């Protein structure tokens, strides 16, 4: 698992990367009540706003952590946004991306580095 | 300039209870506790919730004919307010806009006002400038708690049994362990409940005694906002402000007969000519309830259109979010009165997309006041 400063996690599954948000992010957001997912086959650049996530309190975005193509989205979240709070690291993944070059993950934080980042 | 956040007498209790503290109106306030906004909201609706609202201003007005004097600043019948009763009011400006909304209590030899935290300095300056003959005192040595929900009566009556006999908008002074609690049967959630003004030295003891009662949970500002939105209640600075008048805001019920045309003390408040005209002719725009059709919340600032594309910009959302009780997004906003019929379909622009939304009656959930 790799982590970004935007509190996303990335997990490699074969030749795709699964993306979700960390427990810390889910806790900070509070009760998630709405999730808007990207289109499958969308080609996105690092930093693009690809998902909208709204809690009772506020709206925020999930940014594409890397360049790539969206190959699958977790539509369960649309009907059950609260899953983001229940299982952020597992069932509540947001989307899967195909990357040209998986080695970009090597520059991202490891779990220990992310824990240090959270302080 | 260094911005120092103030703390209420319950700050230490909030921290001990694990609250997430945020800056709000110049205070460090609990936005939520570990239970979370959604569960806190539902807990208040099902049982009882305890809120710290000590950031709000508590003001005493004393002097000859204080009630008549205050009527010069509010379109409300204060002189007719019986002792031991409370009433909703608003300070208006010369254009008929709203400077703040407040609660006014007749406590016999004086009036007791509760005003919004963000407005309290301006309110007190306004009172002193306009009513120099009155003695105006901000109470800085009292905290304010709110206990709301169907279990509120039982919980508070366990401490002070007499409160069970109070009805909505009654106010009483009750003794708790030698300390005077000023209790009103009122609140900001649409639930039955109480607001309790307590000496600051006793605030934590009273709060802990209430939290010790079965099914009383501490509730943060996050749920306070979603609860008042479901109840269709205005939040100053959002749903009402200096540019909205009481009539278009749907607050005409707060303007009693005595202050209207033909009443015993007609007009005589700032903006009276305009407000009385709005009452007679009906407002051009009015505050409405809004039910978005999808799951996407329509937040404050969402623009409302009368067509899915093209068309006219009718107005906007002034408060919006998610209703835990309904499990769906809800909002309030202003639209022209001719487009305000419940059932009318509009489109709210969310992140560049126009999503359907239907005008509905307020409140979203019937209130359960003990009248």
């Amino acid at each position: 698992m790799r982590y970004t400063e935007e509190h996303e996690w990335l997990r490699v599954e074969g030749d795709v990367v699964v993306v979700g948000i960390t427990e810390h992010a889910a806790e900070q957001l509070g009760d998630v009540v709405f999730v808007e997912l990207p289109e499958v086959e969308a080609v996105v650049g690092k930093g693009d706003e690809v998902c909208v996530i709204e809690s009772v309190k506020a709206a925020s975005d999930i940014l594409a952590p890397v360049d790539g193509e969206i190959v699958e989205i977790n539509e369960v979240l649309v009907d059950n946004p609260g899953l983001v709070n229940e299982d952020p690291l597992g069932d509540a993944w947001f989307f899967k991306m195909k990357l040209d070059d998986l080695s970009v993950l090597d520059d991202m934080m490891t779990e220990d580095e992310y824990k240090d980042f959270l302080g | 300039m260094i911005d120092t956040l103030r703390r209420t007498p319950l700050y230490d209790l909030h921290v001990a209870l694990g609250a997430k503290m945020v800056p709000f109106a110049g205070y460090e306030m609990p936005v939520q506790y570990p239970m979370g906004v959604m569960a806190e909201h539902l807990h208040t609706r099902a049982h009882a919730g305890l809120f710290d609202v000590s950031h709000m201003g508590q003001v005493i007005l004393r002097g000859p004919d204080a009630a008549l004097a205050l009527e010069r600043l509010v379109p409300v019948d204060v002189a007719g307010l019986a002792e031991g009763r409370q009433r909703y009011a608003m300070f208006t400006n010369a254009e008929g806009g709203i400077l703040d909304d407040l609660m006014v209590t007749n406590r016999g030899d004086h009036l007791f006002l509760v005003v919004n935290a963000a407005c309290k300095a301006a309110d007190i300056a306004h009172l002193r400038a306009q009513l120099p003959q009155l003695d105006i005192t901000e109470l800085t040595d009292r905290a304010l708690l709110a206990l709301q929900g169907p279990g509120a009566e039982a919980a508070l009556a366990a401490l002070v049994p007499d409160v069970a006999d109070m009805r909505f908008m009654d106010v009483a002074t009750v003794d708790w362990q030698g300390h005077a609690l000023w209790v009103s049967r009122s609140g900001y959630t649409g639930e039955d409940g109480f607001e309790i003004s307590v000496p600051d030295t006793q605030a934590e003891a009273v709060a802990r005694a209430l939290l010790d009662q079965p099914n009383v949970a501490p509730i943060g500002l996050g749920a306070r906002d979603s609860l008042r939105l479901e109840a269709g209640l205005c939040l100053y600075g959002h749903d009402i402000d200096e540019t909205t008048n009481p009539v278009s805001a749907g607050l005409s019920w707060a303007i009693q007969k005595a202050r209207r045309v033909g009443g015993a003390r007609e007009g005589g408040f700032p903006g009276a000519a305009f407000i009385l005209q709005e009452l007679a002719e009906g407002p051009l725009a009015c505050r409405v309830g809004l039910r978005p059709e999808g799951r996407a919340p329509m937040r404050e600032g969402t623009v409302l259109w009368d067509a899915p594309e093209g068309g006219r910009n009718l107005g906007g959302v002034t408060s919006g979010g998610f209703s835990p009780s309904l499990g769906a997004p809800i909002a309030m906003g202003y639209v022209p009165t001719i487009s305000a019929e419940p059932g009318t379909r509009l489109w709210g622009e969310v992140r560049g997309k126009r999503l359907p939304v239907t005008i509905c009656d307020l409140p979203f959930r019937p209130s359960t006041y003990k009248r």
Side-chain angles (χ1 to χ4, degrees):
Chain A
M1 209 102 118
R2 294 287 178 155
Y3 298 84
T4 73
E5 293 187 359
E6 282 75 39
H7 307 286
E8 293 153 304
W9 55 258
L10 296 86
R11 192 175 60 225
V12 178
E13 271 181 15
D15 62 345
V16 300
V17 170
V18 190
V19 180
I21 66 169
T22 66
E23 282 175 313
H24 172 81
E27 195 188 308
Q28 290 297 312
L29 283 166
D31 303 301
V32 174
V33 297
F34 174 74
V35 170
E36 189 174 272
L37 297 166
E39 303 280 333
V40 174
E41 294 183 3
V43 175
V44 299
K46 181 180 175 181
D48 289 355
E49 295 166 4
V50 287
C51 295
V52 176
I53 180 164
E54 298 213 28
S55 70
V56 183
K57 285 177 285 181
S60 45
D61 298 307
I62 295 182
L63 309 179
V66 287
D67 296 343
E69 182 190 345
I70 306 289
V71 292
E72 196 179 335
I73 55 176
N74 187 3
E75 302 212 39
V76 171
L77 297 183
V78 174
D79 292 325
N80 184 14
L83 195 60
V84 176
N85 300 106
E86 290 161 29
D87 193 13
L89 301 183
D91 288 347
W93 57 276
F94 278 75
F95 52 86
K96 298 181 183 179
M97 293 179 76
K98 196 163 198 170
L99 276 54
D100 293 336
D101 178 9
L102 283 174
S103 72
V104 293
L105 269 62
D106 298 339
D107 297 333
M108 292 183 179
M109 288 183 277
T110 62
E111 185 166 349
D112 285 344
E113 286 167 341
Y114 180 65
K115 278 180 182 160
D116 288 344
F117 172 72
L118 290 179
Chain B
M1 192 177 94
I2 297 168
D3 235 6
T4 311
L5 290 173
R6 299 166 72 179
R7 292 175 175 180
T8 76
L10 293 181
Y11 176 85
D12 291 342
L13 177 62
H14 299 316
V15 172
L17 292 170
K20 183 194 279 187
M21 304 299 287
V22 299
F24 182 84
Y27 286 78
E28 272 186 273
M29 297 300 289
V31 66
Q32 65 173 78
Y33 297 86
M35 192 187 267
V37 176
M38 190 98 77
E40 289 172 27
H41 179 116
L42 295 171
H43 184 94
T44 305
R45 292 268 182 250
H47 306 291
L50 181 69
F51 305 73
D52 179 13
V53 290
S54 306
H55 57 312
M56 298 187 79
Q58 302 184 65
V59 182
I60 296 276
L61 261 56
R62 225 179 259 277
D65 294 325
L68 284 173
L70 182 60
E71 284 195 356
R72 289 176 38 213
L73 305 183
V74 301
V76 171
D77 179 1
V78 185
L81 182 64
E83 182 172 345
R85 293 287 292 165
Q86 187 177 56
R87 183 163 273 177
Y88 178 71
M90 63 286 292
F91 293 120
T92 50
N93 65 20
E95 291 74 45
I98 301 173
L99 296 171
D100 194 10
D101 62 342
L102 66 150
M103 299 303 295
V104 181
T105 297
N106 178 350
R107 285 180 41 88
D109 64 346
H110 65 270
L111 296 173
F112 173 54
L113 313 185
V114 177
V115 302
N116 280 304
C119 301
K120 66 182 172 187
D123 289 345
I124 291 165
H126 180 58
L127 285 163
R128 289 193 172 131
Q130 299 299 318
L131 309 176
Q133 73 276 28
L134 295 187
D135 181 15
I136 293 154
T137 312
E138 183 188 358
L139 300 181
T140 52
D141 58 354
R142 295 188 79 89
L144 193 65
L145 310 180
L147 183 67
Q148 301 279 293
E153 180 185 287
L156 186 57
L159 275 63
V160 280
D162 291 349
V163 300
D165 298 328
M166 298 172 70
R167 61 194 175 92
F168 186 55
M169 292 291 187
D170 276 350
V171 179
T173 302
V174 296
D175 177 87
W176 180 74
Q177 300 187 353
H179 304 283
L181 308 185
W182 304 353
V183 178
S184 73
R185 192 146 200 168
S186 63
Y188 192 48
T189 60
E191 293 293 329
D192 180 27
F194 302 87
E195 292 196 348
I196 307 149
S197 173
V198 49
D200 54 6
T201 54
Q202 303 305 310
E204 185 169 337
V206 171
R208 284 189 183 277
L210 290 170
L211 291 170
D212 282 345
Q213 302 303 314
N215 280 324
V216 177
I219 309 296
L221 291 179
R224 182 169 161 84
D225 189 52
S226 54
L227 287 159
R228 70 90 198 166
L229 179 57
E230 277 183 0
L233 298 171
C234 291
L235 175 60
Y236 190 79
H238 301 262
D239 308 297
I240 49 174
D241 60 28
E242 293 183 28
T243 70
T244 57
N245 74 74
V247 184
S248 65
L251 303 174
S252 301
W253 56 268
I255 307 174
Q256 287 81 15
K257 202 184 276 182
R259 308 304 307 279
R260 298 189 180 203
V261 172
R265 296 180 309 287
E266 169 183 333
F269 52 85
F274 178 75
I275 289 172
L276 295 178
Q277 185 188 331
E278 286 273 290
L279 270 174
E281 296 174 3
L284 285 177
C286 61
R287 181 170 62 95
V288 295
L290 298 161
R291 289 289 303 266
E293 286 177 25
R295 292 191 70 110
M298 292 187 184
R299 308 274 179 188
E300 180 177 4
T302 300
V303 174
L304 298 168
W305 298 85
D306 66 356
E309 49 190 299
R312 290 175 305 145
N313 170 353
L314 291 188
V317 170
T318 51
S319 281
F322 185 82
S323 161
S325 301
L326 302 178
I330 56 172
M332 299 195 294
Y334 283 83
V335 297
T337 306
I338 51 165
S339 306
E341 191 64 30
T344 304
R345 198 175 198 217
L346 306 176
W347 284 263
E349 189 167 323
V350 178
R351 292 177 284 273
K353 276 182 276 187
R354 291 192 193 178
L355 306 175
V357 54
T358 304
I359 293 178
C360 67
D361 286 319
L362 292 171
F364 296 98
R365 189 182 173 284
S367 53
T368 54
Y369 306 131
K370 187 187 165 191
R371 294 192 189 269

